[in-house]
Amino acid sequence: MEWSSIYGFLGFLGASFAAAMSGAVFTPGPWYDALKKPSWCPPNWLFAPAWAVLFLMIAIAGWLIWEAVGFAGGALALGLFALQLVLNAAWSGIFFGMRRMDLAFAELCLLWLSILACIIVFWPIDARAALLMVPYLAWVSFAGLLNFTMWRLNPNLPR
């Protein structure tokens, strides 16, 4: 493996985990603890390791696309990749920071669409990259259902 490839991978890893940092800035805290949650809500400790694995897979997917076509040849694919990272980073601030479950759900729907778009656009370039995004889409689907359910269970909660 060439150094440029290693540096490229580290760049994608850094970008992915930079997006993940919003989860460290906007933490659940007492507000989240006080929310009514469905019985199928995972324990809080599960979220960090699940997201760590997903962000590693996201980074590898982006890197595979970059390796295959570069920035110039992958403008659409890598633009969608960047968009889903931005949308992912924004969710924590909207849900935990602003305490707006309604806006967080709407934003999460956009995130879901951006991940699906990545999978579709990645597939002809590198099917492995597309497949690496599928667990992410599944997790965000689950997170969307959880976000929506909690929003419905807590309609009158002050922000």
Side-chain angles (χ1 to χ4, degrees):
M1 185 181 290
E2 295 181 21
W3 283 108
S4 62
S5 182
I6 293 169
Y7 290 138
F9 174 69
L10 292 175
F12 279 93
L13 192 63
S16 294
F17 281 93
M21 291 307 298
S22 71
V25 172
F26 300 102
T27 57
W31 174 81
Y32 179 78
D33 293 339
L35 294 175
K36 293 177 188 169
K37 298 172 193 74
S39 61
W40 44 268
C41 182
N44 288 349
W45 63 264
L46 181 63
F47 289 96
W51 276 112
V53 170
L54 290 169
F55 276 113
L56 177 60
M57 294 170 71
I58 293 164
I60 293 169
W63 173 70
L64 287 170
I65 297 301
W66 174 75
E67 281 276 295
V69 294
F71 287 119
L76 175 61
L78 295 172
L80 288 168
F81 179 84
L83 174 63
Q84 63 80 24
L85 284 180
V86 169
L87 290 169
N88 189 306
W91 185 88
S92 293
I94 297 168
F95 190 92
F96 296 117
M98 295 171 57
R99 299 177 179 175
R100 291 291 306 266
M101 289 186 276
D102 55 346
L103 293 179
F105 179 72
E107 193 274 350
L108 197 133
C109 291
L110 294 175
L111 173 59
W112 191 92
L113 289 171
S114 71
I115 299 165
L116 180 61
C118 281
I119 292 169
I120 292 167
V121 172
F122 285 11
W123 187 264
I125 299 169
D126 189 319
R128 298 170 303 169
L131 292 172
L132 282 166
M133 298 293 279
V134 171
Y136 178 31
L137 184 66
W139 183 259
V140 169
S141 298
F142 174 75
L145 181 60
L146 183 59
N147 184 155
F148 182 80
T149 303
M150 290 173 63
W151 173 31
R152 303 314 319 150
L153 287 173
N154 299 277
N156 298 319
L157 245 175
R159 291 184 195 144

